[in-house]
Amino acid sequence: MASKLSEAGGESKGRLRAKGRKHYTDDWSSVHEDLLEDKRTWNLDEKLSCHSYDADLVIHMKGEDFTVQYIQESGFRYPIIFSDKSGLGMRLPSHNFTVNDVRQCVGSRRMLDVVDVNTQKALEMSMRDWCRYFESPDRDRLLNVISLEFSHTKLEHYVQSPAVVRQLDWVDNAWPQHLKDCQTVSTNEIAEMKYPKVQKYCLMSVKGCYTDFHIDFGGTSVWYTIIRGGKVFWLIPPTQKNLELYEAWLKSGKQGGIFFADQVDDCCRVFLSQGYSLMIPTGWIHAVFTSEDSLVFGGNFLHSFNIPGQLRAFDIEGSTKVPGKFQYPFYTEMCWYVVERYVNCLTGKTHLTNDIVKAEQQENSHQSQDENIKIHATQLICTTTSTRCAVVKPAHQLLTRWEIEGLNVLVNWLETRPPTKRHVPKLLAFPEALLEDIKVLLKQCSSENHDLAITGKLVLSWPDKPKQEKLKIYRPHQAKHKEVKAKENNTARRRRQRCKKCEACLRADCQECCYCKDMRKFGGPGRMKQSCLSRQCMAPMLPNTALCIICNEDGSKRYTEADQPDEQTDSNLRECSICWSIVHPSCLKLDSETGNISDVIPNSWECPKCCKEGKTGCSKPRQLKGIKYLAAVPRAVISEHLMPSPRVDNSACPVSSVSATECEGKRGRRSVDSCALSDIACITDSNVQPLRSMRPGSAPPQGTSIFMLRTNGQVGWVVNKTEKHDAEVSPPKVNKDAHQRSESVSPLMECAVKIEKIETYHTSNKQLAVSPKQSSSQQISPRRSSRKIKPTFGKGKYSGCQILLKQPLIVVRPAPIVHTAKTGEEEECKLGKQLWLKIFGYLSETDIVRYCMLVSKKWNEWCSSSQLWQIINMHHRRLRNSHLCSIVRRQPRALDLSWTNISKKQLSWLIGRLPQLKELCLNGCSWAGVSALCSYICPLLNTFSLQWVEGVDDSCMLTLLSPPKDSRPGFVQAKTMLHCVINLKLTGCDIGDVTLKVISENMRGLELLDVSYCHKITDEGIATISASCIKQSLVELNLSSCTKLTHRALDSLKLGTKLQQIDLRDCPQISNRACQKFASQSQLSLVVSDGKLIHLS
């Protein structure tokens, strides 16, 4: 038998035919359509116009109605469409945002996964090439980008998901926060991913792109907002029958020949245009067509209200062999963390192991030492958090029926997973005990009333972080040391200016970030003095004061330092992103063509000198506000837990590798005394932004275990003297002038350091005290301030460490730790803020102020909520500054200041801090105070009343309704700030026809106009109103006691107006018969009553 097989094998080998080499090409445009395997056989235009996909499966809703309580009631089972983003609590750029702006935010070198629509092949393209393709009018093929995740880039400051999504997302509420804080890389490589990065996506599609039917990975729900363009969706519900058909359709491999919507019973087709938002629930099968070039922002999220659907979609991905690259990252690990968080939130018991450092070191053994330092420091956060959760037992909470059903399915799914696919996180030491605990909880919760769990508050959430007291440090006066000449660096000031052209410069403040809340115009203290996070310029330009370090001339080579231009001009200066030197390319002796020019930031490049030295790619990006380069090492944690760092080789440090002479004359290294650095920070990655501020020669010696102490003046290290280099380490060497400046502005370095406790993970139960040898009874003399003291650590593992400091002029001791006992305030707040606000709503304003606000600090804060003070009435009162501060604190929507003594300065201060004000009443005030509204800080009002205001005439109204002249830099207001007014009351003002003409030109959405007792108004003014576009929106017009009006005014109002009420009482020249005639000829059913009052019947 074996011989026969061998003979057969020999014969078959002899008859093998020779194979020719296959040639592959990426030029799909040259391949004929008939040669493609999965060619589309159905007509897409027919599917767009067919009436068989008109099933009503979508809910249209306002943003205010989309709440957590709605999710708890409905379980989020049907798609929801929002016509605008108002009420959703999300932040998005305006419709002027373009693909080029996306490129400036994420970088031109960012690689994108691009899909060829015709062949469904995956390509890779840089952001620069994609931008050129998108903006080119001639496109040889259809390409689509649907997977650009832009977290940890500059673009994330412009986009924020809806508020409800942030409350439901498992990534924000179940994944360990210290792991998420470790993420610094913006790409989506699994090896460098610390958490599932699926929260923020940018989708860019050209007209004609089509994405076939699919379910989002892991059964995630999707929020989807169209910034520009239009989309068409086909939505199919995830019934059991439809999911089986979908799975069979995927396995058949005939997607191009079958339009999947034709195989199901119900399918809904939805057309979305610019500004629309769509929420797609778990498991919905959908296809997308791009009707015009579009830019879309969205994100995926897992939640607790449809866990069975999410697991079903994940199992379908496994059965259809979806590659891991296109699946939800860390899906099984996320499920384990969700179960642990539910047990922790319901019982206060944590199952996270305390051996976090060891697990992280094993998991990240391939990482370098500087990355391990950052991870090692972050474990203190998790240790303190888990300890706090284990001690504090929360109050009893209820679960909804959706959560109980989903958790039962999730526990069963985790138990039945094979051992090779369980993927238990290393932070969970005993997963079986965790499953037993959740089973007991679900058994107890199954017998409770699930309707009581619909409270609008979620069970799955992280505890609030405790507020930490700030250490007050005495800082002497430093005004005389602030004068620094610009010639020390041989260049002018390097700080860049706004371009005043990009989307970020032209947009308004978001009013939500920490910098907006600090602004005085929004009611803040105004201490940070920073611009809004969403208004960071995308292409900052060099200032006019920038000069070349070689020829000492500006960008146009026409001005010197003594004669600077007044306006921004096009500059040919270039700033190196490595050495920060500013030169003209023509002034360099080297070939300027060898430099790498940046196409993201104007006038930026990698100079030929740095390229010749091999420093290409070592650019130091500018630090963006809001991005935490050392997010894993919070200041409060490190100040309490000092940890020794591993050995750091100074050859890897970019500061020590540059000689002092090489950096002299170069510009861009900020002086040490001007750096806003943290008090104590570990030396970590060389790319960390604050390390740039160190002067040349400041690197520590090789082979030393160090951690660095940094202040506003100097840098010092804690050095282990048992190492190879046990000599005393002096402060960093700088040039003479800088050293003199740093000695005078080092208050923290001149203070005695008393470290009472040093807690690290390896010595969690050991206390290492500092014992300064100097007696406290000794008097400190300024003459001895230069003598250095070396306080040493006590006995223990770090007994050989020393801190090299100076003897202090003033001893500053930290404040004692006050252990405050729990008061009854926590018991009072168990009902929750929203419930107490409803109770306060039944009380009068006097009772709230006199009684409720005096009960406790928490009640005082709640009683000032804007929900209780929607309307504030201050008429006939003498205003004081305390009244104005109270109004700003309550942020009303309607404010009545009638017949008050408010001045222009007071009103200007007030309206600049009430951005949400919609109704303003200034009846009986003077024009001197009302003129404060002629500014860009005036809020967008809907109702405005100026009845019986003294001094208001046509010239005043012309000034009030003109565009403001004090527009903020970079934003020119072309409209009046009152263009949104719907109700305008000008009773008793000295105005005429000129005012009516200005109103008709600037208030095109006006619905109510009251100009009664305005005796200068004539028939020409009424004709102006009827001839303008305001007649389409005007509903009510009050002309009573306008003595100069005649029946001609009624004749002009007949022409196409939609007036429902006209008050002509006390108009002597208009007869009752004319009013009857006007009512009978009107298209509306109008009647005349009370003399000359015309209104609807």
Side-chain angles (χ1 to χ4, degrees), residues 502-531:
C502 65
E503 160 68 16
C505 291
L506 299 179
R507 73 182 310 177
D509 295 329
C510 68
Q511 304 181 16
E512 296 178 1
C513 66
C514 59
Y515 300 119
C516 286
K517 293 179 180 178
D518 176 74
M519 296 179 185
R520 289 185 178 272
K521 64 180 180 180
F522 298 133
R527 297 173 183 171
M528 296 183 180
K529 302 188 183 304
Q530 298 289 334
S531 62

Short mmCIF file of all heavy atoms in Angstrom, two decimals, residues 502-531:
data_model
loop_
_atom_site.label_atom_id
_atom_site.label_comp_id
_atom_site.label_asym_id
_atom_site.label_seq_id
_atom_site.Cartn_x
_atom_site.Cartn_y
_atom_site.Cartn_z
N CYS A 502 -7.85 81.14 11.21
CA CYS A 502 -8.29 79.75 11.28
C CYS A 502 -9.62 79.64 12.01
O CYS A 502 -10.12 80.60 12.59
CB CYS A 502 -7.22 78.89 11.96
SG CYS A 502 -6.93 79.30 13.69
N GLU A 503 -10.15 78.42 12.01
CA GLU A 503 -11.43 78.16 12.65
C GLU A 503 -11.39 78.44 14.15
O GLU A 503 -12.33 78.98 14.73
CB GLU A 503 -11.82 76.70 12.39
CG GLU A 503 -12.84 76.10 13.34
CD GLU A 503 -14.21 76.72 13.19
OE1 GLU A 503 -14.45 77.37 12.16
OE2 GLU A 503 -15.03 76.56 14.09
N ALA A 504 -10.29 78.08 14.80
CA ALA A 504 -10.20 78.26 16.25
C ALA A 504 -10.18 79.74 16.64
O ALA A 504 -10.77 80.13 17.64
CB ALA A 504 -8.96 77.55 16.78
N CYS A 505 -9.48 80.56 15.86
CA CYS A 505 -9.40 81.98 16.19
C CYS A 505 -10.74 82.69 16.00
O CYS A 505 -11.03 83.67 16.70
CB CYS A 505 -8.33 82.65 15.32
SG CYS A 505 -6.64 82.15 15.72
N LEU A 506 -11.56 82.23 15.09
CA LEU A 506 -12.81 82.91 14.77
C LEU A 506 -13.99 82.41 15.57
O LEU A 506 -15.06 83.02 15.50
CB LEU A 506 -13.11 82.76 13.27
CG LEU A 506 -12.07 83.35 12.32
CD1 LEU A 506 -12.49 83.11 10.88
CD2 LEU A 506 -11.89 84.85 12.56
N ARG A 507 -13.84 81.32 16.30
CA ARG A 507 -14.98 80.78 17.01
C ARG A 507 -15.13 81.46 18.36
O ARG A 507 -14.24 82.12 18.87
CB ARG A 507 -14.83 79.27 17.19
CG ARG A 507 -13.80 78.85 18.21
CD ARG A 507 -13.70 77.35 18.29
NE ARG A 507 -14.99 76.72 18.45
CZ ARG A 507 -15.18 75.43 18.49
NH1 ARG A 507 -14.14 74.63 18.37
NH2 ARG A 507 -16.37 74.92 18.65
N ALA A 508 -16.29 81.29 18.99
CA ALA A 508 -16.58 81.89 20.29
C ALA A 508 -16.10 80.97 21.40
O ALA A 508 -15.77 79.80 21.19
CB ALA A 508 -18.08 82.16 20.43
N ASP A 509 -16.06 81.51 22.61
CA ASP A 509 -15.65 80.72 23.77
C ASP A 509 -16.67 79.64 24.06
O ASP A 509 -17.88 79.83 23.89
CB ASP A 509 -15.51 81.62 25.00
CG ASP A 509 -14.39 82.64 24.83
OD1 ASP A 509 -13.41 82.29 24.15
OD2 ASP A 509 -14.50 83.75 25.36
N CYS A 510 -16.18 78.47 24.50
CA CYS A 510 -17.06 77.34 24.76
C CYS A 510 -17.84 77.48 26.06
O CYS A 510 -18.87 76.84 26.25
CB CYS A 510 -16.25 76.04 24.79
SG CYS A 510 -15.13 75.91 26.21
N GLN A 511 -17.36 78.31 26.99
CA GLN A 511 -18.00 78.56 28.29
C GLN A 511 -18.07 77.31 29.17
O GLN A 511 -18.82 77.29 30.14
CB GLN A 511 -19.41 79.13 28.10
CG GLN A 511 -19.47 80.38 27.27
CD GLN A 511 -20.88 80.93 27.12
OE1 GLN A 511 -21.77 80.55 27.88
NE2 GLN A 511 -21.08 81.80 26.16
N GLU A 512 -17.31 76.28 28.84
CA GLU A 512 -17.35 75.04 29.61
C GLU A 512 -15.99 74.62 30.16
O GLU A 512 -15.93 73.96 31.19
CB GLU A 512 -17.90 73.89 28.74
CG GLU A 512 -19.34 74.10 28.29
CD GLU A 512 -19.81 72.97 27.39
OE1 GLU A 512 -19.01 72.05 27.14
OE2 GLU A 512 -20.97 73.02 26.94
N CYS A 513 -14.90 75.00 29.51
CA CYS A 513 -13.58 74.58 29.97
C CYS A 513 -13.19 75.37 31.21
O CYS A 513 -13.84 76.35 31.61
CB CYS A 513 -12.55 74.76 28.86
SG CYS A 513 -12.25 76.48 28.39
N CYS A 514 -12.09 74.95 31.84
CA CYS A 514 -11.66 75.58 33.09
C CYS A 514 -11.25 77.03 32.88
O CYS A 514 -11.43 77.87 33.78
CB CYS A 514 -10.52 74.78 33.70
SG CYS A 514 -9.06 74.63 32.63
N TYR A 515 -10.73 77.36 31.70
CA TYR A 515 -10.31 78.74 31.45
C TYR A 515 -11.49 79.67 31.20
O TYR A 515 -11.46 80.82 31.61
CB TYR A 515 -9.35 78.77 30.25
CG TYR A 515 -8.11 77.96 30.45
CD1 TYR A 515 -7.79 76.89 29.63
CD2 TYR A 515 -7.24 78.24 31.50
CE1 TYR A 515 -6.65 76.12 29.84
CE2 TYR A 515 -6.10 77.49 31.71
CZ TYR A 515 -5.82 76.43 30.87
OH TYR A 515 -4.70 75.68 31.08
N CYS A 516 -12.56 79.16 30.55
CA CYS A 516 -13.75 79.97 30.37
C CYS A 516 -14.44 80.23 31.71
O CYS A 516 -14.94 81.33 31.97
CB CYS A 516 -14.72 79.29 29.40
SG CYS A 516 -14.20 79.36 27.67
N LYS A 517 -14.50 79.22 32.56
CA LYS A 517 -15.13 79.40 33.86
C LYS A 517 -14.34 80.36 34.75
O LYS A 517 -14.90 80.95 35.68
CB LYS A 517 -15.27 78.05 34.55
CG LYS A 517 -16.25 77.12 33.86
CD LYS A 517 -16.34 75.78 34.57
CE LYS A 517 -17.33 74.86 33.85
NZ LYS A 517 -17.41 73.53 34.50
N ASP A 518 -13.05 80.53 34.47
CA ASP A 518 -12.24 81.47 35.24
C ASP A 518 -12.38 82.90 34.73
O ASP A 518 -12.05 83.83 35.46
CB ASP A 518 -10.78 81.02 35.18
CG ASP A 518 -9.85 81.99 35.89
OD1 ASP A 518 -9.87 82.01 37.13
OD2 ASP A 518 -9.13 82.73 35.20
N MET A 519 -12.88 83.10 33.51
CA MET A 519 -12.96 84.44 32.95
C MET A 519 -13.96 85.29 33.72
O MET A 519 -15.00 84.82 34.17
CB MET A 519 -13.35 84.37 31.47
CG MET A 519 -12.33 83.68 30.59
SD MET A 519 -12.88 83.60 28.87
CE MET A 519 -11.58 82.62 28.14
N ARG A 520 -13.65 86.57 33.82
CA ARG A 520 -14.53 87.48 34.55
C ARG A 520 -15.88 87.66 33.84
O ARG A 520 -16.91 87.84 34.49
CB ARG A 520 -13.86 88.85 34.72
CG ARG A 520 -12.69 88.82 35.69
CD ARG A 520 -12.15 90.23 35.91
NE ARG A 520 -11.06 90.24 36.87
CZ ARG A 520 -11.22 90.35 38.18
NH1 ARG A 520 -12.43 90.45 38.67
NH2 ARG A 520 -10.17 90.37 38.98
N LYS A 521 -15.87 87.63 32.53
CA LYS A 521 -17.13 87.84 31.82
C LYS A 521 -18.10 86.68 31.99
O LYS A 521 -19.28 86.83 31.69
CB LYS A 521 -16.85 88.07 30.33
CG LYS A 521 -16.23 86.88 29.61
CD LYS A 521 -16.01 87.21 28.15
CE LYS A 521 -15.40 86.06 27.39
NZ LYS A 521 -15.18 86.39 25.97
N PHE A 522 -17.60 85.52 32.45
CA PHE A 522 -18.47 84.39 32.75
C PHE A 522 -18.63 84.17 34.25
O PHE A 522 -19.04 83.10 34.68
CB PHE A 522 -17.93 83.12 32.09
CG PHE A 522 -17.86 83.20 30.59
CD1 PHE A 522 -16.73 82.80 29.90
CD2 PHE A 522 -18.93 83.69 29.87
CE1 PHE A 522 -16.67 82.88 28.52
CE2 PHE A 522 -18.87 83.78 28.49
CZ PHE A 522 -17.75 83.38 27.82
N GLY A 523 -18.27 85.16 35.05
CA GLY A 523 -18.48 85.06 36.48
C GLY A 523 -17.33 84.48 37.26
O GLY A 523 -17.48 84.22 38.46
N GLY A 524 -16.17 84.27 36.64
CA GLY A 524 -15.03 83.69 37.32
C GLY A 524 -14.14 84.75 37.96
O GLY A 524 -14.34 85.96 37.78
N PRO A 525 -13.12 84.32 38.69
CA PRO A 525 -12.23 85.28 39.35
C PRO A 525 -11.24 85.96 38.42
O PRO A 525 -10.70 87.00 38.75
CB PRO A 525 -11.50 84.42 40.39
CG PRO A 525 -11.51 83.04 39.81
CD PRO A 525 -12.80 82.92 39.06
N GLY A 526 -10.96 85.36 37.26
CA GLY A 526 -10.04 85.98 36.31
C GLY A 526 -8.59 85.88 36.71
O GLY A 526 -7.82 86.82 36.49
N ARG A 527 -8.17 84.76 37.26
CA ARG A 527 -6.79 84.61 37.74
C ARG A 527 -5.90 83.91 36.71
O ARG A 527 -4.71 84.20 36.62
CB ARG A 527 -6.79 83.82 39.04
CG ARG A 527 -7.51 84.52 40.17
CD ARG A 527 -7.64 83.62 41.39
NE ARG A 527 -8.40 84.26 42.46
CZ ARG A 527 -8.81 83.65 43.56
NH1 ARG A 527 -8.53 82.36 43.74
NH2 ARG A 527 -9.49 84.28 44.48
N MET A 528 -6.45 82.95 35.97
CA MET A 528 -5.61 82.18 35.03
C MET A 528 -5.18 83.02 33.84
O MET A 528 -4.07 82.86 33.33
CB MET A 528 -6.38 80.94 34.55
CG MET A 528 -6.70 79.96 35.64
SD MET A 528 -7.51 78.49 34.98
CE MET A 528 -7.77 77.54 36.47
N LYS A 529 -6.08 83.87 33.35
CA LYS A 529 -5.79 84.74 32.21
C LYS A 529 -5.31 83.94 31.00
O LYS A 529 -4.27 84.22 30.39
CB LYS A 529 -4.77 85.81 32.59
CG LYS A 529 -5.22 86.68 33.76
CD LYS A 529 -4.30 87.84 34.00
CE LYS A 529 -4.74 88.65 35.21
NZ LYS A 529 -6.12 89.11 35.10
N GLN A 530 -6.06 82.88 30.68
CA GLN A 530 -5.75 82.04 29.53
C GLN A 530 -6.95 82.04 28.59
O GLN A 530 -8.10 82.25 29.01
CB GLN A 530 -5.45 80.60 29.97
CG GLN A 530 -4.25 80.47 30.88
CD GLN A 530 -2.94 80.72 30.15
OE1 GLN A 530 -2.85 80.53 28.95
NE2 GLN A 530 -1.94 81.17 30.87
N SER A 531 -6.69 81.80 27.31
CA SER A 531 -7.77 81.74 26.33
C SER A 531 -8.47 80.39 26.41
O SER A 531 -7.98 79.44 27.02
CB SER A 531 -7.22 81.95 24.92
OG SER A 531 -6.30 80.93 24.59
#
